Amino acid sequence: MALPPPDPQFVLRGTSAAIHTLHFSCGGQEPDLPVLFSGSENGLIHVWNLKTHRADTALDGHGRKSVYCVETMGGKDRLLSQGRDQRICLWDLAEGRTSVTDSVCTEHVGFCRCSLVQLAQGRWLMATAAKGLQEVQVLELPSKTSVCTLKPEVGAKLGMPMCLKLWQLSCGSQPLLLAGYEDGSVILWNVTMGKALSQLICHQEPVMSLDFDSERTKGISGSSEKVLCIWSLNEQQNLQVYKTHELVNAGISDITIRPDKKILATAGWDHRIRIFGWKKLKPLAVLDYHTAAVHCVSFSEHRNPRERLLAAGSRDQRISLWSLYTQS
Amino acid sequence: ELLVQSLVQCISSVLAATCVRKRELLQELFSELCTCLAPPPSSGKPAPLSEELKLAVIQALHTLMHSAYGDVVLSLYQPSTLPLLGFAVSLLLGLAEKEKAKQIKISALECLQVLVLQCDCQEHRHLDEEEAQQCGDLFASFLPGISITLSRVITGDIKQGHKTTVSAIRLFYLIVGWVMSDAQLARIPKSKEKPPLEQSRVSELMVHRGPDWSKSTAQKLSLLLHKVVESSSVHPHWKVRLELVELVHHLLSNCSQSLVDSFSHLLKALVGLVNDENSEVQSRCNEVLRGIAEQRIVVQNRALADVLSENLHSLATALPRLMNSQDDTGKVSTLSLLLGYLKLLGPKINIVLNSVSHLQRLSKALVQVLELDVTDVKIVEERRWGPPGSWQQGVQRGRHQKKYFRFFTEEKVFQLLQQVCRVLGYYGNLYLLVDHFMGLYSESGLYRKQAAMVLNELVMGAAGLGVDVLQGREVPPSVDDLKGSVTSILDEYTDQANWYLITSIDTEEASPEHSVQRSGLTARPGGPCSTVLLPSPEPQVTTRSMNSNIWQICIQLEGVGCFAAVLGKEFRLLLLSALYPVLEKAGDRTLLISETALGTLADICEACSYDSVQCLINENSDYLVNGISLNLRQLAHQSHASQVLDTMLRHSDASLLPLVEDIIQDVLSALDQSYNNQASTFLRVLHSVMTALVQWFGACSAEEHQQRQTDKGQSRTQSQGQQEVTMTRQEVEQFFLDYVSQKQIAEGDVPDTGEEEADEVPPLAKAEPNNCDTDGEAPLPIHAQLARDVMERCIHLLSDGSLRVRLKVLDVLELCVTVLHPHGNHLLPMAHRVWPALVTRLISDDPLAVLRAFKVLCTLAQTCGDFLRQRFSKDVLPKLTSSLLSQAPASARAGPVYSHTLAFKLQLAVLQGLGSLCERLDMGESDLNKVADACLIYLSAKQPMKLQEAAQSVFLHLMQVDPDSTWLLLNEVCCPGPCQPPHASLRPVTLGGMGRP
């Protein structure tokens, strides 16, 4: 007999707007409280205390325009947020401060989330969709110097970039960028040379989200159709379709591989969160709680595996927290 | 003999005035005096002397010892004088034991005391260690004689008076304490010294206090002490008992090593005397105990700790039996003994606890003793009806529920047991204890309640709350430790299998709980095979088991309160998991449980420093909402979740609306998924939601509404007043002018000034255009949206199969209408959709439903009068009037019992409501006639009084709408007097009712 579908461990309420992005910061030492950042449609970033399950502060820096990306840079005191006001803000949250220290104007009108990778201590590389329709801009932070702008070949009809993933094969090696485009293709860019290495058309519809496992050099992408696509990168830096997985309902808005690369979670338009084994894409669970499309999923990086959580934010204004370890 | 006596007296007075400086003189006098008392050598009987003489001699001896100069006295205590001294001692002992006169006895004992250099008075020179040691050696040879005789004196007849016993006890412990003193024994060399030859004869009498000797003596003393303690601890006179305390104190502090074997008796006596009826004994006893604890005699002395733990073990073994057989005072003393042991052991308790057998004995004993009496049927039967009226009251009663135990009734006994557990928790290793009792808790249902009780007290004790101890701990447990234990206990308590127990056999609620219980049973370890083999037979629910379940829940609830008290503000974090279950129980139908839960809530408030329960609920509603939302997802828990929501709503205010809105969406979606079976549960929630909304937001609209009502009322009274007063000419004139102008309007001749009509237009119509404007643009406020959503569900449920559900739906519907009242634009479409279903209720349903439906109709009419007019006259009115007409003969014939029937109530309600309904809806003439016709019969004197009155009210309302025709109609029926034409020019009127009686 199949187990009944599990319940969320807790549901965070009170944002009074749809949730677009989530980001955990739980890796700190004991006195450091685990927190969850959530960006919502009304332009507020809530900082949730995961001990009390209440929002400690709400950050307002995007002029009430939807916030669709929140990332931490290092600890939980340095925060990066991207909003529909076409700005990327850098926050200083140390010692209770809530101030925007710097901001970058992207002039990008889409929903493409930016991607961060740490080059060295205190040096970050950020890729974001740029003003030009098909362009991706790569910046170094915190200096804000532009590294390059990635433009597709003339005449290519890729459409807007929809999702980005910056990664390095190993620390110190050349950063690479995976970008999913509106026409359903995924392109691997060499950031330093500003050159496309490989292109793979894996979806008929816009690529909504992708994630990449640099250890196995395999990635997964989801679009507005019913298919999840896994592709791999061979030694010649060529992208190849490895496998596809048919879904029941169409529309994936977010895909995240858990940091330990064992499972992955998808956020579905059908209000459901799906958990798969990453190795063979074996369906493990369907988490059914939300009453509207799920927009984002995120895994926490607690030191203790038992405390690790999955969070999902939805259009129904709720954030559900799931404990996947205790269920097994 | 008289001569001897006076001589002796003379000597003693001389001695009292002088002092003896020469050894020889002292020895001579001493031996002379002793011979005076000596019995004849052959017979074993005491010397046949008069009592006076004996007394005189004793006193002389006494004075002699006092008058002797310091060093000189010591000369008596040389090995060479041992025989002489022994002679004196035996003489005096003989007197003390055998004599009848109290005076002699006491003096003899006092004299002995002086003789062993332990006089109470301060004159004596203090002996240095060396001398003390020597004397100790010397007295050792007397010890057997002295101790045996004294113990006989002590245990002797009570009639000898307490003074004798007291001084005997004192002497006993002084001499024993001296001879067996740890300090002295430690200095005794291993082997006996070779005595000088010339003293060999004497030295044979000398005792060498080597280890062997002290061991055997201790054994013998132990027997004696046992006897002494036993007899004097129950001695009727308190001074004796006080002296016993002193004895224990003295021996414990001086001979804690040499007399280890006797300590079990001594401590038993001491601990037992803590609860002596005499306060002086009590306080001294406590002092001594505290002294012992402070000096860390027990802590540093392993042997003593062993003795104590052995005592504890045997007492624990015997405890259940004792509790079963003893009377209440016996139980109290047994338990105070137990408590005393634990307190004395102090931090050493852990040694005992680390031994599995000890821990098991102790825990089993506690668990067995604490067994509750679960036979009371009342506890199961007592129900909470309706919503809890005043919380404060419940809180007061819920704090400490009196428990009934199987083995005792005395409150004191329970308090002692409480203390026992707390002291255990205070000193013991909390993790170990909690783990052990949790094991018992889950081991068997028999132990569960008691184990929970013990756990609660343990945690209290560990935090040092309400615990009375003799010595502090080395390290109090950290908050984290406490929190760890509390969290694990709390998890266990609120586990489904332990929290959802069958406490009633209500058909309404039982079914889901049964399933929970069953699943809970399978989850329990220990019974997997049985549950697998037997597919969960319906558990036998007896009153006894339900009572037991109720108590278990109560104890667990109390535990939650304890934990809150222990953790203080730290408990706020745990509210996340604890508040929901407690609130769930606060809504329980069993009185005891809900009261206890309220008490727990109050405890939590206090501990977490919230101002009131309301505050607590308000500030933690997000946690509650989470619990509710998650529980709504499971069918079995839906009724609980709805209870909690119910409670939450009742104690929160409008500030919670966003959260409430969120959760109501959940409720509605849950309802949508299970219309059939859970409807009644959810309707209760919807009802409380709507009540809350009416409370929060209805105020403004209700005020408005009220005003309108009073306006109308005033105008009505005015018009009534006008009717009563005979019309003045001006009024008649005015009436005609009005009539003419009305007629002109009716013919299409509208006058320019429309002010007068504007006044007559009901305020609602005036307000409506405004509403339209604002509503059209601004979105509906959340509460109104909710009301609309709920109303939508009501439409579906109006035709539910169960009458109960239908009735509830009608209630909810009425509230929805009230909330939506100010938002006509949204209400009217909803009303349109509700109408068909409502009509069916009004026309063809159970009378009860008709009654409620009619009420809804009245409410609806207040808001959307015009909208309803047509429909009402077409769909409902014919049926109503016909039923009124058809029922009239029945009610006219009926006896007094009729007023209790449903039919009567229906008639009454319809009659009462119909009038205002007609007025509100502004019915047309033909409809009014119908109403009037139907109601006319009810004016008959044959009808019950109440119906007559109601019918009158209908006509009063009708007069408002159409005064003329009503007047005419009524007068057609009956006209008490002829109509006098007001003016001669008018023709007299003849009416149908004229002349009728």
Side-chain angles (χ1 to χ4, degrees):
Chain A
M1 193 182 84
L3 284 166
D7 278 336
Q9 192 194 52
F10 200 86
V11 179
L12 305 173
R13 293 155 215 266
T15 54
S16 56
I19 312 294
H20 282 294
T21 179
L22 291 169
H23 185 83
F24 278 102
S25 176
C26 306
Q29 291 295 332
E30 194 34 59
D32 222 16
L33 285 170
V35 295
L36 171 69
F37 296 98
S38 75
S40 47
E41 192 151 275
N42 56 8
L44 294 181
I45 300 164
H46 288 91
V47 186
W48 299 91
N49 177 341
L50 289 179
K51 277 251 153 67
T52 60
H53 291 168
R54 285 179 177 153
D56 283 345
T57 37
L59 311 171
D60 181 7
H62 288 280
R64 302 279 158 181
K65 296 275 177 56
S66 171
V67 176
Y68 58 88
C69 182
V70 175
E71 291 279 344
T72 50
M73 300 168 76
K76 64 170 185 180
D77 295 336
R78 304 266 297 137
L79 188 72
L80 176 147
S81 67
Q82 186 176 18
R84 287 281 280 163
D85 60 347
Q86 307 184 6
R87 287 203 311 157
I88 293 178
C89 293
L90 300 177
W91 299 80
D92 176 17
L93 303 180
E95 294 158 3
R97 286 189 290 269
T98 54
S99 53
V100 176
T101 51
D102 207 346
S103 69
V104 181
C105 195
T106 60
E107 298 183 55
H108 169 67
V109 290
F111 291 95
C112 180
R113 290 176 186 153
C114 64
S115 176
L116 267 180
V117 72
Q118 187 167 24
L119 294 176
Q121 190 65 41
R123 274 183 64 220
W124 299 79
L125 206 59
M126 180 185 74
T128 173
K131 188 185 178 188
L133 192 61
Q134 307 190 352
E135 289 171 10
V136 175
Q137 197 180 17
V138 182
L139 298 169
E140 199 178 298
L141 289 178
S143 62
K144 295 204 285 181
T145 48
S146 174
V147 175
C148 63
T149 308
L150 306 174
K151 284 182 215 163
E153 296 163 38
V154 184
K157 291 229 157 66
L158 294 174
M160 279 204 282
M162 299 298 291
C163 47
L164 303 169
K165 173 81 182 175
L166 265 178
W167 59 281
Q168 287 171 297
L169 205 54
S170 59
C171 203
S173 69
Q174 284 190 346
L176 298 167
L177 175 73
L178 279 163
Y181 288 89
E182 212 175 344
D183 72 338
S185 61
V186 174
I187 296 185
L188 179 70
W189 293 91
N190 184 322
V191 172
T192 33
M193 291 191 285
K195 198 178 88 177
L197 296 175
S198 171
Q199 178 176 6
L200 176 71
I201 298 173
C202 49
H203 294 284
Q204 308 301 314
E205 302 281 328
V207 182
M208 298 304 293
S209 177
L210 61 81
D211 202 1
F212 187 74
D213 172 6
S214 57
E215 286 165 26
R216 288 205 186 93
T217 61
K218 275 199 295 187
I220 182 165
S221 60
S223 74
S224 48
E225 27 169 41
K226 283 191 189 175
V227 176
L228 287 178
C229 185
I230 303 186
W231 24 265
S232 63
L233 187 66
N234 63 13
E235 259 113 65
Q236 288 80 44
Q237 308 274 24
N238 273 325
L239 289 168
Q240 293 167 329
V241 171
Y242 172 78
K243 195 181 170 184
T244 55
H245 183 88
E246 193 84 7
L247 294 169
V248 184
N249 298 314
I252 293 296
S253 49
D254 197 12
I255 292 185
T256 310
I257 303 173
R258 197 163 68 184
D260 64 4
K261 320 281 189 215
K262 286 197 174 125
I263 58 172
L264 68 95
T266 65
W269 294 358
D270 59 350
H271 313 176
R272 296 195 176 121
I273 306 153
R274 290 186 160 74
I275 310 290
F276 297 93
W278 171 223
K279 220 171 172 181
K280 295 178 181 162
L281 215 65
K282 182 185 167 201
L284 297 177
V286 177
L287 307 179
D288 186 8
Y289 174 78
H290 288 285
T291 52
V294 184
H295 283 154
C296 48
V297 283
S298 174
F299 286 103
S300 79
E301 74 283 24
H302 271 101
R303 271 159 203 273
N304 178 4
R306 294 225 145 260
E307 288 178 42
R308 281 188 200 149
L309 295 171
L310 164 70
S314 157
R315 209 161 60 84
D316 63 6
Q317 313 186 353
R318 297 178 194 177
I319 303 166
S320 54
L321 299 178
W322 308 77
S323 173
L324 297 182
Y325 276 89
T326 48
Q327 239 85 47
S328 57
Chain B
E1 216 182 75
L2 264 176
L3 177 70
V4 181
Q5 189 188 339
S6 45
L7 185 69
V8 170
Q9 275 167 351
C10 180
I11 290 174
S12 75
S13 48
V14 169
L15 282 174
T18 59
C19 84
V20 182
R21 279 175 184 266
K22 276 192 190 154
R23 299 170 180 210
E24 293 77 21
L25 181 64
L26 176 68
Q27 287 190 7
E28 205 169 316
L29 275 172
F30 190 79
S31 60
E32 279 306 322
L33 282 174
C34 288
T35 38
C36 289
L37 289 174
S42 55
S43 71
K45 288 176 190 166
L49 300 170
S50 73
E51 291 187 341
E52 287 78 15
L53 178 62
K54 284 177 192 165
L55 195 60
V57 173
I58 292 169
Q59 269 159 2
L61 264 176
H62 193 261
T63 354
L64 175 66
M65 292 307 291
H66 273 93
S67 65
Y69 195 73
D71 289 336
V72 180
V73 169
L74 278 182
S75 69
L76 263 182
Y77 300 91
Q78 297 300 322
S80 52
T81 52
L82 187 63
L84 176 62
L85 208 56
F87 179 57
V89 168
S90 62
L91 270 180
L92 288 171
L93 280 175
L95 288 174
E97 190 191 351
K98 304 264 166 61
E99 278 302 329
K100 292 242 164 39
K102 272 186 202 172
Q103 194 59 41
I104 298 180
K105 279 187 161 195
I106 294 165
S107 331
L109 287 170
E110 274 170 3
C111 189
L112 257 175
Q113 201 176 333
V114 181
L115 208 56
V116 295
L117 302 172
Q118 294 283 351
C119 187
D120 291 333
C121 52
Q122 300 296 314
E123 295 164 30
H124 303 281
R125 190 172 69 89
H126 197 74
L127 296 176
D128 59 32
E129 275 188 1
E130 192 68 16
E131 290 159 343
Q133 180 94 18
Q134 274 180 10
C135 293
D137 282 341
L138 213 60
F139 295 145
S141 26
F142 309 142
L143 187 64
I146 295 184
S147 54
I148 290 173
T149 321
L150 284 179
S151 69
R152 253 185 263 143
V153 174
I154 295 168
T155 53
D157 196 354
I158 291 175
K159 277 183 231 151
Q160 69 188 343
H162 70 272
K163 272 195 182 156
T164 323
T165 320
V166 167
S167 38
I169 292 177
R170 180 172 305 147
L171 186 58
F172 186 89
Y173 71 71
L174 286 174
I175 187 94
V176 170
W178 191 337
V179 175
M180 300 299 289
S181 144
D182 288 338
Q184 289 192 19
L185 286 179
R187 270 186 272 119
I188 300 287
K190 276 271 153 48
S191 59
K192 194 170 180 177
E193 283 171 44
K194 214 44 181 171
L197 270 174
E198 68 270 25
Q199 292 181 341
S200 59
R201 220 176 66 81
V202 178
S203 66
E204 272 170 29
L205 294 171
M206 286 286 289
V207 173
H208 175 71
R209 292 187 282 167
D212 294 339
W213 176 84
S214 59
K215 214 172 186 180
S216 66
T217 316
Q219 268 171 12
K220 286 166 198 155
L221 276 176
S222 152
L223 286 177
L224 292 178
L225 275 170
H226 182 48
K227 261 199 266 174
V228 167
V229 163
E230 220 161 57
S231 76
S232 47
S233 61
V234 291
H235 199 277
H237 202 281
W238 65 269
K239 275 197 175 154
V240 174
R241 298 196 300 266
L242 186 62
E243 205 57 37
L244 181 66
V245 175
E246 295 295 344
L247 173 130
V248 176
H249 174 57
H250 190 85
L251 292 186
L252 274 181
S253 47
N254 285 322
C255 323
S256 57
Q257 270 153 32
S258 53
L259 289 180
V260 153
D261 299 342
S262 334
F263 278 1
S264 63
H265 307 304
L266 295 180
L267 288 176
K268 194 172 166 183
L270 187 61
V271 169
L273 285 174
V274 167
N275 290 316
D276 199 89
E277 57 218 28
N278 185 288
S279 62
E280 210 162 315
V281 177
Q282 251 184 41
S283 62
R284 177 64 192 152
C285 213
N286 273 321
E287 215 172 283
V288 170
L289 276 176
R290 191 153 291 134
I292 292 171
E294 268 161 19
Q295 288 164 30
R296 313 211 144 249
I297 293 173
V298 177
V299 180
Q300 282 152 15
N301 190 336
R302 182 66 199 253
L304 202 53
D306 284 348
V307 169
L308 278 172
S309 67
E310 238 8 82
N311 277 8
L312 195 63
H313 185 257
S314 54
L315 183 61
T317 315
L319 195 61
R321 182 176 51 79
L322 290 175
M323 293 307 282
N324 211 355
S325 55
Q326 281 177 323
D327 60 351
D328 274 349
T329 44
K331 286 169 190 166
V332 168
S333 63
T334 312
L335 284 173
S336 36
L337 196 59
L338 180 66
L339 182 58
Y341 285 151
L342 291 176
K343 282 185 179 175
L344 272 180
L345 272 170
K348 286 262 166 173
I349 276 183
N350 281 323
I351 299 176
V352 181
L353 297 182
N354 283 335
S355 139
V356 179
S357 77
H358 276 80
L359 182 56
Q360 232 151 33
R361 282 272 174 225
L362 189 61
S363 58
K364 280 272 162 62
L366 281 176
V367 164
Q368 282 177 20
V369 168
L370 279 171
E371 190 175 331
L372 283 167
D373 181 17
V374 289
T375 47
D376 195 355
V377 186
K378 223 169 75 186
I379 284 170
V380 183
E381 279 178 344
E382 270 189 319
R383 303 264 105 163
R384 182 178 62 81
W385 291 116
S390 95
W391 278 63
Q392 216 49 47
Q393 193 190 350
V395 164
Q396 287 302 321
R397 270 183 295 169
R399 274 295 171 81
H400 298 287
Q401 293 288 357
K402 181 153 170 49
K403 300 183 187 66
Y404 299 93
F405 294 92
R406 233 184 100 188
F407 293 118
F408 56 89
T409 47
E410 186 86 5
E411 187 63 24
K412 177 98 175 124
V413 176
F414 178 59
Q415 282 168 6
L416 276 170
L417 281 168
Q418 249 182 339
Q419 275 297 318
V420 165
C421 297
R422 288 183 187 176
V423 168
L424 265 181
Y426 185 79
Y427 290 120
N429 178 342
L430 188 61
Y431 280 113
L432 177 74
L433 285 167
V434 166
D435 193 56
H436 182 79
F437 280 97
M438 289 289 265
L440 280 179
Y441 178 88
S442 45
E443 187 181 305
S444 147
L446 278 180
Y447 298 147
R448 204 160 293 154
K449 296 186 291 296
Q450 298 95 308
M453 232 184 294
V454 174
L455 279 170
N456 298 347
E457 299 299 338
L458 279 179
V459 173
M460 286 286 269
L465 291 179
V467 59
D468 174 34
V469 286
L470 297 170
Q471 46 188 324
R473 304 173 270 198
E474 284 121 15
V475 228
S478 71
V479 175
D480 279 341
D481 286 348
L482 276 176
K483 208 150 90 184
S485 303
V486 163
T487 316
S488 65
I489 301 176
L490 207 58
D491 282 349
E492 190 70 23
Y493 279 2
T494 51
D495 188 84
Q496 290 195 1
N498 300 322
W499 199 253
Y500 300 112
L501 303 168
I502 302 173
T503 56
S504 66
I505 36 177
D506 281 0
T507 44
E508 194 187 345
E509 283 163 275
S511 49
E513 286 182 45
H514 273 280
S515 58
V516 176
Q517 170 77 356
R518 245 179 274 138
S519 66
L521 280 175
T522 46
R524 243 14 17 262
C529 49
S530 63
T531 40
V532 168
L533 290 176
L534 311 166
S536 60
E538 196 65 15
Q540 197 66 46
V541 186
T542 59
T543 316
R544 188 178 274 264
S545 73
M546 284 194 289
N547 183 319
S548 156
N549 286 341
I550 290 173
W551 274 118
Q552 191 189 328
I553 292 170
C554 287
I555 291 166
Q556 288 171 179
L557 280 168
E558 282 174 355
V560 177
C562 287
F563 302 154
V566 164
L567 289 180
K569 279 203 172 181
E570 286 286 318
F571 195 75
R572 283 189 177 201
L573 273 181
L574 294 179
L575 284 178
L576 184 60
S577 51
L579 188 59
Y580 177 83
V582 173
L583 264 190
E584 203 175 77
K585 294 298 172 197
D588 201 282
R589 300 291 289 277
T590 307
L591 185 70
L592 193 70
I593 294 181
S594 75
E595 276 183 3
T596 313
L598 290 182
T600 304
L601 281 177
D603 285 343
I604 294 176
C605 277
E606 207 167 280
C608 302
S609 49
Y610 288 107
D611 293 338
S612 64
V613 175
Q614 201 144 345
C615 246
L616 172 75
I617 294 177
N618 252 336
E619 285 184 32
N620 293 291
S621 45
D622 48 346
Y623 294 164
L624 289 175
V625 163
N626 182 59
I628 295 166
S629 149
L630 293 184
N631 277 293
L632 275 177
R633 287 158 54 82
Q634 283 164 20
L635 205 63
H637 295 311
Q638 280 176 348
S639 63
H640 298 129
S642 57
Q643 264 171 18
V644 175
L645 183 56
D646 203 22
T647 323
M648 194 183 102
L649 285 171
R650 222 174 297 128
H651 296 277
S652 48
D653 52 48
S655 60
L656 280 188
L657 190 66
L659 274 179
V660 171
E661 195 249 336
D662 196 76
I663 198 68
I664 296 305
Q665 294 306 337
D666 278 357
V667 173
L668 291 179
S669 68
L671 174 65
D672 288 343
Q673 277 168 14
S674 57
Y675 266 116
N676 306 330
N677 27 30
Q678 293 287 314
S680 71
T681 322
F682 287 120
L683 276 172
R684 204 165 61 220
V685 178
L686 293 183
H687 189 259
S688 50
V689 169
M690 294 320 296
T691 324
L693 287 181
V694 168
Q695 235 173 48
W696 299 342
F697 301 99
C700 48
S701 55
E703 250 170 46
E704 200 181 301
H705 178 69
Q706 205 83 40
Q707 218 166 15
R708 209 178 301 156
Q709 285 254 324
T710 46
D711 283 350
K712 282 194 177 171
Q714 274 168 3
S715 65
R716 191 176 307 149
T717 46
Q718 265 174 16
S719 55
Q720 274 173 358
Q722 278 174 4
Q723 282 190 340
E724 277 165 28
V725 177
T726 43
M727 282 193 177
T728 59
R729 199 165 299 168
Q730 286 84 3
E731 276 164 351
V732 174
E733 193 182 333
Q734 183 62 44
F735 177 80
F736 273 101
L737 284 177
D738 283 350
Y739 179 75
V740 169
S741 69
Q742 289 279 350
K743 191 148 189 169
Q744 278 172 349
I745 294 167
E747 282 160 5
D749 186 6
V750 184
D752 297 336
T753 52
E755 288 159 358
E756 279 177 39
E757 291 112 275
D759 284 342
E760 283 165 23
V761 176
L764 179 75
K766 232 193 327 187
E768 231 165 350
N770 299 345
N771 278 358
C772 285
D773 293 345
T774 49
D775 282 353
E777 288 146 24
L780 203 56
I782 295 175
H783 65 269
Q785 268 176 34
L786 271 181
R788 199 182 51 189
D789 289 348
V790 172
M791 201 158 163
E792 200 148 339
R793 273 27 177 233
C794 288
I795 296 170
H796 301 298
L797 286 170
L798 262 178
S799 44
D800 192 274
S802 143
L803 177 63
R804 281 173 78 119
V805 172
R806 289 200 303 265
L807 293 178
K808 202 87 191 173
V809 172
L810 287 168
D811 282 348
V812 177
L813 196 61
E814 193 182 343
L815 290 167
C816 288
V817 171
T818 322
V819 173
L820 274 177
H821 188 177
H823 311 279
N825 266 11
H826 296 273
L827 178 58
L828 291 182
M830 289 312 288
H832 171 71
R833 290 178 54 194
V834 168
W835 185 252
L838 190 64
V839 167
T840 326
R841 299 284 79 73
L842 276 168
I843 293 175
S844 50
D845 203 341
D846 191 276
L848 269 174
V850 176
L851 204 63
R852 303 275 177 103
F854 191 73
K855 267 173 72 187
V856 177
L857 184 65
C858 293
T859 320
L860 207 54
Q862 289 177 6
T863 324
C864 23
D866 301 334
F867 174 77
L868 281 184
R869 188 184 309 133
Q870 266 299 304
R871 295 157 193 262
F872 179 70
S873 72
K874 197 171 108 236
D875 298 337
V876 185
L877 194 61
K879 169 76 183 160
L880 277 184
T881 49
S882 70
S883 86
L884 274 180
L885 283 171
S886 64
Q887 277 294 315
S891 62
R893 275 197 309 273
V897 197
Y898 186 71
S899 65
H900 294 287
T901 61
L902 206 53
F904 171 79
K905 282 177 187 155
L906 188 60
Q907 279 172 315
L908 185 63
V910 171
L911 285 174
Q912 279 171 345
L914 204 52
S916 61
L917 206 58
C918 289
E919 196 179 347
R920 287 265 157 65
L921 298 183
D922 201 13
M923 303 295 286
E925 201 174 332
S926 64
D927 289 330
L928 287 182
N929 285 342
K930 263 188 228 163
V931 172
D933 285 342
C935 296
L936 204 55
I937 342 167
Y938 285 92
L939 288 174
S940 153
K942 287 178 196 152
Q943 294 287 348
M945 200 55 203
K946 280 215 169 147
L947 291 185
Q948 290 182 40
E949 283 166 9
Q952 279 172 29
S953 81
V954 173
F955 284 102
L956 284 175
H957 281 289
L958 290 182
M959 280 178 212
Q960 301 298 316
V961 187
D962 193 352
D964 299 339
S965 67
T966 312
W967 183 82
L968 191 65
L969 178 79
L970 290 177
N971 275 309
E972 284 289 343
V973 178
C974 171
C975 184
C979 286
Q980 292 295 335
H983 196 268
S985 62
L986 294 171
R987 277 194 295 136
V989 186
T990 1
L991 292 164
M994 269 184 173
R996 284 197 208 165

